[in-house]
Amino acid sequence: MRSPTSRTDDRPEWGNSVTGPLPPSVRSRIDPFIVMDVMREANARVARGDDIIHMEVGQPATPAPKAALAAAEAALRSDKLGYTDALGMPALRERIAAFYGERYGIGVPPERVVVTAGSSGGFILAFLAILEAGDSFGLPNPGYPCYRHILSALGAEPRLIAPGPDDRWMPHARHVEALKAQGAKGLLLASPNNPTGTMAVDGRVGEIARACARERLWLVSDEIYHGLEYDRPAETALAASGEAIVVNSFSKYFSMTGWRIGWLVVPEDLVRPIERLAQNLFISTSAIAQHAALGAFDGIEELEETRKVYAENRALLLEELPKAGFKNILPADGAFYLYAETSHMAEDSRALCQAMLDRTGVAATPGLDFDPAEGKRFVRFSYAGSLDEMREASKRLKAWRETGQGF
Amino acid sequence: MRSPTSRTDDRPEWGNSVTGPLPPSVRSRIDPFIVMDVMREANARVARGDDIIHMEVGQPATPAPKAALAAAEAALRSDKLGYTDALGMPALRERIAAFYGERYGIGVPPERVVVTAGSSGGFILAFLAILEAGDSFGLPNPGYPCYRHILSALGAEPRLIAPGPDDRWMPHARHVEALKAQGAKGLLLASPNNPTGTMAVDGRVGEIARACARERLWLVSDEIYHGLEYDRPAETALAASGEAIVVNSFSKYFSMTGWRIGWLVVPEDLVRPIERLAQNLFISTSAIAQHAALGAFDGIEELEETRKVYAENRALLLEELPKAGFKNILPADGAFYLYAETSHMAEDSRALCQAMLDRTGVAATPGLDFDPAEGKRFVRFSYAGSLDEMREASKRLKAWRETGQGF
C-alpha cells in the first residue's frame, strides 16, 4: 500500500488510461489548501514528539468560550441532537439577527439568516445560488485560497484583482466597474482580509456595496474576521445594502473552528433557493454546534479577553519578526495574521517554510497559498496562539537567523 | 417583511429583470428535499403544541449511543476542538477501517478512509472527484432525492433507472451495460434502498461491482443503511472491488443524524484529489463529532437493542398499515422505511400527506420526493421512532380511515 500522502500532485494517472484505475475528474485538479498540508505535517511531527509552534493555521489557542461549552454539555444531556431545520434552529437564527443590532446597530430579520457548516458551507451555498458554471467572479489577491478553489470546483471562474498598497490592498469602486466591464457576475470583499490582515479604509465597504448594487453585480462580503480589529471597527456590507450576501462564522472571533459552524445573511429572494440547496447538499448543520453557538453569545466578555491577547501577540511580533529578518509586514489592522516579505531570505517561501519547520519547529504558511502570482515572496504568520508561544517562536526565529544557516 | 417560507417555488423573479433584485442562479432551481419541508411544518406544529408523530424523516427516536455521548463529553473537557486533518482524525480513520474487518471480514487500509460531514459531505466530494460538468450518472428510481439534486447542482446529469419488482427494485448488471452504452460515467447503488427498504438479492452487489469494473464505470455504493437488516446481511461493494466508492454515515445505524458525520472508502488514486477538495470545501469535519463517532464503536450492544425495536416497529406496521388502507408495501428487507401504494386513496400523495398531518398529526413523506415519475402514487413511512409512537400512529390512521373523511 503506497501512502496517499507521500505522492506529488503532478502524477501520471490524469491520463485516459484504458486499463489502470479510472482517472479522477479534471475539476478535482484544484490546488491543495497548502495550510492544511502544512498543518498535517506539523501534526505528524507533534505526534512524533516534536515541539511545534503552530503559526500556520488560523486556529485560536483557546477553546470555545465557557458559555458555549456549557451549552453543548447541557444539550448532550437534554437534546436528541437530530436533524434541525435546514436553515438552522429558529432560536439561533434569531440570536444571530439580534447580534447585528448589538454590534452594528442595524436590523436584520431572522428570516434572512442561514446557519451553515462554517463559512465553508456558506461559500458553497452562496456561490451555487448566484453563479452558473462558466460565470466569472472577482476575488481579492492576495486572498483566502478556498475562494478560488471552491469557485473552480463548482465550475465558475475566479478573476483575481490585485488592489495594491494605495488602497490598503483592498478593492475600490473602480474595481467593481472594471469587473462589470469584463462580464464578471460579482465581487468578493474581505475586510479584514486573510492573509494580509489589512482593512478597507472607513466608508469603503459601503462604497463598494453601493457600486455593486448600481452595477448590478453580486457582492459577497466575507466578514469572518469581524470582531478582531485593533484600531477601528470593521464595517458590515449590510449597513449599506440589503442585496449584499454576508458570510460569517463562529470559527475566529468566537474561537470555535473545529465546530464547523457559521452563517450567511442573504437577500430575501435568495432564502428559498438557498434553503433548497441546503436541504439537499447538507440536510442540516450540526445540532450540538448550533446549541454551542447559541451559548457562545453569552461568552463575549471572555472573547474580548482573548482579543487582548491577540493585540499583545501582534505588538510583540511586529517588534520581533523584523529582528528575525522578516520585512515589509503589511499594515495589520485586523484578523490574526501578519503577511511578511521574504524574497530577500529565499526565492520561494515554500522552501523557507520547510526549512523553518525543520530547523525551528515554527510552522508558517507560504504565501503561494494566498497569491498564485507573487506569493512565493511572502510568508503568513498566524498569531492566534498564546503570548508564550509567540515569545518562544520569536526567540527561535531570531536564534535561527543568528546561526546564519537559515537563509 | 414577507416570510420566505410562505412562498411557492414558481415565482416570477427567475426572470432577468433589470431593476428588481438580482436573480438566483438557474442551477439553484433544484427541487426541495420535500421531507425537510414536511419536517419544518411538523416542527412548527410541535412548537404550537400539536401532538405530532414524526414518520416523515429518517430520524431515529434514540440519541447517539451512551459511549458516543461520553466520548463527546470527555472531549468537551480535554480537547480544544480545533481543525483536524482534512481527511479526519487518524484514530477515527483507523477505527473505521478496523470495523470492516469486524463486520464484513475484509481488510480496508485506513489511508483509504475519508471522514466526511455526513453522507451528504461524502456525496459532494465523491461526485466532484469523479464527474465533470455535463457527465451523466445512473441513479436508482425510486431513490434518495438528494442524489439527483446534488448531481444537478454540481452540473452533472442524473440518469434515472427503474429496476422494477423482478429485481426487488434494485439494479442488475444489465443496467450497468445499458448505462455504459448511453455514455454514463457510473452508477449509484443503494442496498438497502431508501425509500423502498428493499435489498439486492444475495451476490448482486458483487455482480454489479464487477460489471462496473469490467465496463470501466464508477460505482458509488451508498451503504448508509448497512447494519439495519432484518433477514440477511447486506453486502459491501468493497468485498468485490477495490475500485468501488463506498459512502457511509454514523447517522442511521449509529443513531447520530444531527452530528453530521460519515465516511467514504475510496480507491487509492482518489485519496489525494478528495483530500484537496475536502481541504478547500470543508477544511475539516466537526471535531466533537469525530470524538463521538470514535466512542460510538463501543456502543454496538446498545445499537443492536435499537435494531430490535425497529424490527418490532416493522412487524407492527406491516400488520397495521394495511388495516388503515395502505397497500402493496414493498418487501422491507432493511433500513427503517415502508413504501406503500396510495393511488386508491388519493390521486396525489402530497395531498394525502397534508390531510394526514392535518387530521391525525402523523407526518409522512409523499413519494414524489423519491420518484419524480410514479411517486405521487406512494407514501414513505419511517419507523425509526419508538414502538409506542408506532402503536399510536396505527391507531390514529385506522381511526381516520373509519371516519371515511380521509380518502
Side-chain angles (χ1 to χ4, degrees), chain A residues 1-2 4 7 9 11 13-14 17-33 36-37 39-40 43 57-63 69 72-73 76-77 80-86 109 111-112 120 124 128-133 144-146 149-150 153-154 216-218 243 251-252 257-260 268-273 275-277 279-288, chain B residues 1-2 4 7 9 11 13-14 17-33 36-37 39-40 43 57-63 69 72-73 76-77 80-86 109 111-112 120 124 128-133 144-146 149-150 153-154 216-218 243 251-252 257-260 268-273 275-277 279-288:
Chain A
M1 192 85 216
R2 283 177 293 169
R7 310 179 57 207
D9 282 319
R11 294 158 306 146
E13 81 269 28
W14 296 124
S17 68
V18 290
T19 54
L22 286 167
S25 67
V26 172
R27 64 175 162 185
S28 71
R29 290 186 212 176
I30 55 173
D31 290 334
F33 186 10
M36 294 300 288
D37 282 347
M39 188 185 82
R40 191 188 46 204
N43 284 343
V57 62
Q59 169 64 62
T62 48
L69 296 173
E73 192 165 332
L76 278 178
R77 295 165 195 274
K80 198 167 60 182
L81 300 171
Y83 296 123
T84 71
D85 290 353
E111 294 79 11
R112 285 175 48 202
S120 305
I124 294 172
L128 282 176
I130 62 174
L131 298 177
E132 312 298 347
Y144 178 56
C146 303
H149 300 152
I150 295 174
L154 301 180
R216 297 188 61 68
L217 292 189
W218 289 105
E243 290 296 304
S251 289
K252 308 300 182 181
T257 56
W259 293 79
R260 312 309 302 123
E268 196 189 337
D269 289 308
L270 282 190
V271 173
R272 181 62 177 160
E275 181 176 38
R276 287 194 307 260
L277 288 164
Q279 289 173 338
N280 282 290
L281 272 74
F282 296 98
I283 305 184
S284 63
T285 303
S286 162
I288 192 165
Chain B
M1 194 79 217
R2 285 176 293 168
R7 311 177 58 208
D9 283 320
R11 293 157 308 144
E13 82 268 25
W14 297 123
S17 69
V18 291
T19 54
L22 286 167
S25 66
V26 172
R27 64 176 163 185
S28 72
R29 290 185 210 175
I30 55 172
D31 290 335
F33 185 11
M36 295 301 290
D37 282 347
M39 188 185 82
R40 191 186 47 206
N43 284 344
V57 64
Q59 169 65 61
T62 49
L69 296 173
E73 193 166 331
L76 279 178
R77 294 166 196 273
K80 198 167 61 181
L81 300 171
Y83 296 123
T84 71
D85 291 353
E111 294 78 13
R112 287 175 49 202
S120 305
I124 294 172
L128 283 176
I130 63 174
L131 298 177
E132 312 299 346
Y144 178 57
C146 304
H149 299 152
I150 295 174
L154 300 181
R216 296 188 61 72
L217 292 189
W218 289 104
E243 290 296 303
S251 289
K252 308 301 181 179
T257 56
W259 292 78
R260 313 308 302 120
E268 196 189 337
D269 288 307
L270 282 189
V271 172
R272 181 63 178 161
E275 181 176 38
R276 287 194 306 261
L277 288 164
Q279 288 172 339
N280 282 290
L281 272 74
F282 296 97
I283 304 185
S284 63
T285 303
S286 161
I288 192 167

Side-chain angles (χ1 to χ4, degrees), chain A residues 51 123 359 361:
Chain A
D51 181 15
F123 286 118
R359 301 300 191 81

